[in-house]
Amino acid sequence: MQLDRLVIVLRTRPANEAIDLGVRMAMHWFKPLYIAWLCFSLPVIGLLFGLSYWAEFSYTAIYLLIWWIKPMLDRMALFVISRAVFGSAPTLRQSLKAIPTILFKTRLIRALTWARFSPYRSLTLPVDVLEGIKGRNARIRRKAISNYIGINAAVLTLFGFVVEKIFPVCAIAFVAMISIDNNSYTDDLLKDLWFNNVSYHSLMALGFYILGILLWEPIYVAAGFSLYLKRRSDIEAWDIELEFRKIEKRSRIASSTLFGAMLLVLTIGISGYSSHSYASQSNSTVRQETINDAPEKLQQILKQPEYGGKEVRKRLKFMQEKKVKKPNKKPDFSPPPVSANPNNALLALTGAGQWMLWGILALVVIAIAYFIIMRLPDMRGQKGQKEAPPAQIAGLDIQPESLPENIAEVALSMIHSGDLRSALSLLFRGSLSVLAHRDRVMFRSSDTEQDCIRLVKRAELNSAAFFIKLTQLWLAQAYAHRSPDITKLEQLCREWPTHYDHQSQWEAS
Amino acid sequence: MMLDTVRDITTPELIEIRLHPAGFLPRGFAFFIDTILRWLLMLLIAIPSMFIGDLGIGLFLISIFLIEWFYPVFFEVVFKGKTPGKRLVGLKVLNDNGTPISLSASIIRNFLRFADFFPLFYLFGLISMLTNKEFRRLGDIVAGTIVVYTEPAARRFSIPEAMPVPPDFPLSRDTQKTIVSFAERSVGLTKPRQEAGTLRGITSGGMGSL
């Protein structure tokens, strides 16, 4: 057992953490572990399945057979993971070479008969496989290993049992979820399972069971092995031994007499270890050592990621670029040879390509500029034309279609019949309509009367004064119910056509 | 690289904290206990609500909803990351920077149970826990939380009685620790190992060999 080659951190960890570490181990050496495991167990399972299919076993019998053979398969997983933990993960060839040993020298018969039901299976497996002891000694050893942590191993086994039973159910549920007509499918499946038939559906359930075993069992073995390591580390103080070895190594470098006192300290036992003042003569040598080592240590610390140490970044790069850059890295800074370079043609090509790209970029820029300068005003014009006058302003309908053709006359007749309000409304609407459609005053439908006045003023039309007068009269009428004189209104009616030729807007629109 | 299952955190004050993430086994066990407790709670509500008729059924359904979704959130936020099951097993939930879990993180990690449960019986959650380096399920990854072992109460070791002998050279901090832990654990070690350890101390120091 070469402890200094161990790749896991040795510390006193609770049993549950040991199991977790086992999971980490299985995932860390995922590739060698699962490749070797699959290469061994798939043929075995295939063989078993073929035989039992040929012998027309029932579904349950096949199921049981595959369950029974698991300890044999576990040995391969343990072989890989135990080697990997001690720093040399075996290659596939090495693993396959170990098959005879696994089959004949690891007390397989015991494991496949009365020890098959042991709940400590994963924990005692390393004793059988790795320690190579027999008979009574092995029994004592197994007992010693499973002494305090047997319960954890048993819980692990129980959990594995539940996982293996549940995994096919989950997988089938998943398939049923994504299949189109899941009802008939699950019905068939349940029927087959119920009547213990070997059929397409139950074969699938069996397949999922095997898949679950194939995925889970290496993790189970690794967790058990980790538990075993924890137990041995506890009773044999591996971590402390490792520390002693480190101290020893350091002491040999520093001074051979330094650890003379270790003898006393360790044989007698220790209590007051810290409260003594140190002798000064050896203190100074250690101090000197520390000072001498300081630059190296500083470099090591600076390399840590917290101090922005070495950082590896990956990016895509033209192969050409790499080739050109390489000569630059040489200590002599002579320019790279221009002629007689077989890559020259390629260089020229890439250069041309680069120029072409620049040309395309320039063309694109010019095209955009042309578009902005030449086309944009047109676009804006179109946009302006498209912007139709609103259908109504301040709640008044100003569409030309909704107005009579001779507004002034209609208004006059309304005045004569006494409906002053309607007459004023009609005149106001008519003026707005003409202003919007003929004079293209940009009214919005949310404009108030005052907004209209402002817009008309801004448009600097001749009719502005008349419009303002009309609007004020309309406002007084609409909101204050103050009617103007009839004579004033009649005059307004007569004046109206001079400003707003209603006919012209029909032609305009 | 040395394999271990811890997560080291350095706070802005340069204090090192070591978290011990918990794997599927204790977490599954804690969940199992919590499930039983939840069902008991539902039963407690179901019995009286049976006598109130339709109103009772309505109340019962609402309480099922609340218990199913907010039981873990409530306990995690109010009792510092410990649901009753986790407390029994010795686990707690933290944010992954070591701070106590926040309400939003707790809500996220518990509402995403649904994703972990998929397709049935927490299969995806289990796969996620097995493959993640810190044994997080999907909800933990999204919420940025981590389930850790609570600090075990320090066990009292008895150091064998002996005459203190001052060493004639300074022992570094690590060396002191090693010697103390050897003395503490020497009682539990096997006989040959006790002697071997002592011997190693002698040989490594005195002879300078081995």
Side-chain angles (χ1 to χ4, degrees):
Chain A
M1 196 84 48
Q2 288 168 297
L3 289 183
D4 38 4
R5 283 172 62 198
L6 213 54
V7 198
I8 55 172
V9 176
L10 280 177
R11 58 183 171 88
T12 47
R13 46 166 72 85
N16 276 332
E17 274 193 64
I19 292 176
D20 297 343
L21 180 69
V23 174
R24 279 279 281 127
M25 270 152 49
M27 288 302 141
H28 190 256
W29 290 291
F30 179 81
K31 240 186 184 169
L33 176 62
Y34 273 86
I35 287 175
W37 158 259
L38 289 179
C39 284
F40 180 59
S41 54
L42 270 183
V44 171
I45 289 177
L47 198 70
L48 274 181
F49 186 74
L51 279 176
S52 49
Y53 196 72
W54 174 70
E56 294 182 348
F57 281 8
S58 71
Y59 168 76
T60 320
I62 302 177
Y63 197 88
L64 210 67
L65 198 62
I66 287 168
W67 175 79
W68 206 281
I69 205 69
K70 276 198 298 183
M72 186 174 115
L73 309 178
D74 287 349
R75 280 160 163 68
M76 174 54 92
L78 183 68
F79 175 80
V80 179
I81 205 77
S82 61
R83 297 265 177 312
V85 165
F86 282 95
S88 55
T91 59
L92 180 59
R93 180 174 301 193
Q94 284 169 338
S95 310
L96 293 182
K97 266 186 186 168
I99 288 179
T101 326
I102 287 172
L103 288 183
F104 300 116
K105 289 187 181 170
T106 55
R107 270 159 295 297
L108 194 59
I109 296 169
R110 179 186 168 277
L112 287 180
T113 49
W114 65 89
R116 180 64 189 86
F117 298 96
S118 161
Y120 313 136
R121 195 161 60 86
S122 62
L123 190 56
T124 51
L125 184 67
V127 178
D128 288 343
V129 177
L130 301 177
E131 293 190 9
I133 37 176
K134 280 184 187 174
R136 192 165 165 276
N137 283 340
R139 214 173 308 137
I140 294 170
R141 186 82 183 136
R142 277 195 289 270
K143 210 170 221 173
I145 290 291
S146 55
N147 213 348
Y148 286 96
I149 51 173
I151 178 70
N152 296 88
V155 169
L156 178 67
T157 308
L158 180 71
F159 185 85
F161 185 77
V162 172
V163 165
E164 280 174 0
K165 293 294 163 291
I166 281 180
F167 181 79
V169 180
C170 293
I172 289 168
F174 189 58
V175 171
M177 266 175 207
I178 58 175
S179 69
I180 297 167
D181 55 339
N182 50 7
N183 284 330
S184 67
Y185 174 79
T186 30
D187 284 351
D188 287 352
L189 178 73
L190 286 177
K191 214 192 304 168
D192 282 340
L193 288 180
W194 185 252
F195 292 114
N196 213 352
N197 294 335
V198 177
S199 76
Y200 168 71
H201 294 304
S202 59
L203 275 188
M204 193 160 99
L206 191 65
F208 280 130
Y209 175 68
I210 292 171
L211 181 67
I213 288 180
L214 291 179
L215 292 177
W216 168 253
E217 203 66 15
I219 296 172
Y220 172 71
V221 171
F225 181 56
S226 176
L227 263 181
Y228 166 84
L229 286 181
K230 168 224 159 27
R231 179 66 184 144
R232 279 200 63 179
S233 170
D234 279 358
I235 57 178
E236 293 171 23
W238 284 3
D239 46 340
I240 290 173
E241 182 180 349
L242 213 58
E243 285 302 316
F244 275 158
R245 282 190 196 180
K246 271 184 204 158
I247 294 165
E248 186 186 337
K249 208 179 274 176
R250 240 179 287 146
S251 77
R252 229 182 270 156
I253 296 163
S255 140
S256 60
T257 57
L258 267 184
F259 277 78
M262 281 286 279
L263 180 149
L264 292 168
V265 171
L266 290 175
T267 45
I268 296 168
I270 323 97
S271 47
Y273 50 88
S274 59
S275 58
H276 301 290
S277 61
Y278 301 132
S280 57
Q281 72 275 17
S282 42
N283 210 349
S284 64
T285 56
V286 171
R287 196 183 153 81
Q288 195 55 45
E289 283 290 328
T290 318
I291 292 171
N292 286 345
D293 289 347
E296 276 177 33
K297 207 163 188 183
L298 189 68
Q299 285 303 320
Q300 276 177 2
I301 289 171
L302 283 177
K303 269 178 198 162
Q304 288 170 358
E306 288 87 344
Y307 294 95
K310 208 173 189 183
E311 206 176 329
V312 181
R313 286 188 189 176
K314 286 182 180 174
R315 67 182 177 91
L316 289 174
K317 206 172 177 186
F318 283 115
M319 286 172 74
Q320 194 54 41
E321 196 180 336
K322 209 173 174 182
K323 277 176 190 163
V324 175
K325 268 194 176 170
K326 251 184 187 166
N328 286 353
K329 278 184 182 169
K330 286 178 184 170
D332 56 329
F333 288 101
S334 62
V338 182
S339 63
N341 191 340
N343 288 328
N344 258 2
L346 209 55
L347 258 178
L349 207 64
T350 48
Q354 219 172 17
W355 279 113
M356 220 153 79
L357 282 175
W358 279 115
I360 291 171
L361 185 67
L363 277 179
V364 168
V365 169
I366 290 168
I368 291 172
Y370 172 79
F371 185 79
I372 289 172
I373 296 165
M374 306 303 288
R375 297 300 303 273
L376 218 59
D378 293 357
M379 293 255 298
R380 198 176 288 157
Q382 278 169 11
K383 211 174 168 189
Q385 275 171 16
K386 270 180 195 166
E387 220 168 74
Q392 50 169 267
I393 299 171
L396 298 170
D397 196 344
I398 63 156
Q399 285 167 307
E401 298 83 2
S402 70
L403 294 166
E405 240 171 82
N406 38 2
I407 288 172
E409 285 170 30
V410 174
L412 260 178
S413 66
M414 279 177 176
I415 290 165
H416 291 311
S417 63
D419 194 356
L420 299 182
R421 188 184 167 83
S422 304
L424 248 180
S425 161
L426 185 64
L427 283 179
F428 184 64
R429 274 168 64 203
S431 347
L432 280 179
S433 178
V434 173
L435 281 170
H437 288 97
R438 189 191 67 188
D439 300 333
R440 303 247 164 256
V441 179
M442 304 295 275
F443 293 122
R444 284 167 303 169
S445 60
S446 59
D447 284 342
T448 62
E449 286 84 352
Q450 293 300 336
D451 290 329
C452 293
I453 290 176
R454 205 173 309 126
L455 280 169
V456 170
K457 269 184 187 165
R458 201 179 299 160
E460 293 175 359
L461 296 170
N462 297 330
S463 56
F466 175 76
F467 179 74
I468 291 166
K469 194 166 74 183
L470 176 64
T471 309
Q472 276 160 354
L473 285 176
W474 162 244
L475 281 174
Q477 174 67 59
Y479 297 107
H481 294 280
R482 273 184 292 156
S483 305
D485 294 340
I486 291 182
T487 48
K488 215 175 185 179
L489 258 180
E490 280 175 345
Q491 193 200 342
L492 214 61
C493 286
R494 257 173 262 122
E495 205 178 326
W496 197 86
T498 58
H499 295 293
Y500 304 112
D501 183 3
H502 186 55
Q503 204 60 38
S504 65
Q505 70 159 311
W506 283 102
E507 288 152 14
S509 62
Chain B
M1 192 203 69
M2 300 287 275
L3 269 189
D4 204 352
T5 57
V6 294
R7 178 187 175 90
D8 288 318
I9 295 170
T10 309
T11 66
E13 298 83 16
L14 291 178
I15 297 166
E16 300 250 350
I17 297 174
R18 173 165 277 198
L19 299 180
H20 297 255
F24 60 91
L25 213 57
R27 292 181 64 176
F29 200 58
F31 177 76
F32 182 66
I33 295 172
D34 276 332
T35 307
I36 290 174
L37 285 178
R38 270 206 313 270
W39 287 353
L40 281 179
L41 205 62
M42 287 178 197
L43 203 69
L44 276 183
I45 298 174
I47 292 166
S49 62
M50 258 167 41
F51 299 103
I52 331 177
D54 281 352
L55 177 70
I57 292 173
L59 285 177
F60 176 61
L61 290 177
I62 289 173
S63 64
I64 278 188
F65 168 76
L66 289 178
I67 289 170
E68 199 58 42
W69 289 97
F70 288 97
Y71 167 95
V73 175
F74 171 77
F75 281 108
E76 279 170 13
V77 174
V78 176
F79 293 95
K80 292 178 182 169
K82 294 176 188 169
T83 61
K86 287 198 179 74
R87 185 182 293 274
L88 280 175
V89 179
L91 304 176
K92 64 178 169 185
V93 194
L94 296 175
N95 289 333
D96 55 6
N97 55 6
T99 52
I101 186 169
S102 60
L103 176 67
S104 63
S106 177
I107 285 178
I108 292 170
R109 83 179 282 279
N110 285 305
F111 282 20
L112 273 169
R113 264 175 204 289
F114 188 72
D116 284 298
F117 189 77
F118 198 77
L120 269 182
F121 305 118
Y122 288 90
L123 180 66
F124 281 19
L126 179 67
I127 292 171
S128 167
M129 263 194 264
L130 289 178
T131 51
N132 188 282
K133 276 187 181 177
E134 283 153 355
F135 316 114
R136 301 194 201 185
R137 59 179 180 83
L138 299 175
D140 285 325
I141 295 171
V142 175
T145 55
I146 190 167
V147 179
V148 298
Y149 293 105
T150 45
E151 290 286 314
R155 276 185 293 168
R156 292 176 66 91
F157 286 101
S158 57
I159 295 173
E161 282 290 317
M163 261 266 294
V165 178
D168 58 353
F169 61 94
L171 297 176
S172 74
R173 201 182 185 77
D174 287 339
T175 317
Q176 288 176 21
K177 261 191 201 168
T178 310
I179 293 170
V180 169
S181 60
F182 175 64
E184 280 173 349
R185 282 169 57 186
S186 64
V187 183
L189 298 183
T190 52
K191 264 268 142 39
R193 287 302 285 185
Q194 284 179 18
E195 284 153 18
T198 323
L199 199 71
R200 181 164 289 284
I202 298 164
T203 46
S204 60
M207 317 304 170
S209 63
L210 199 137

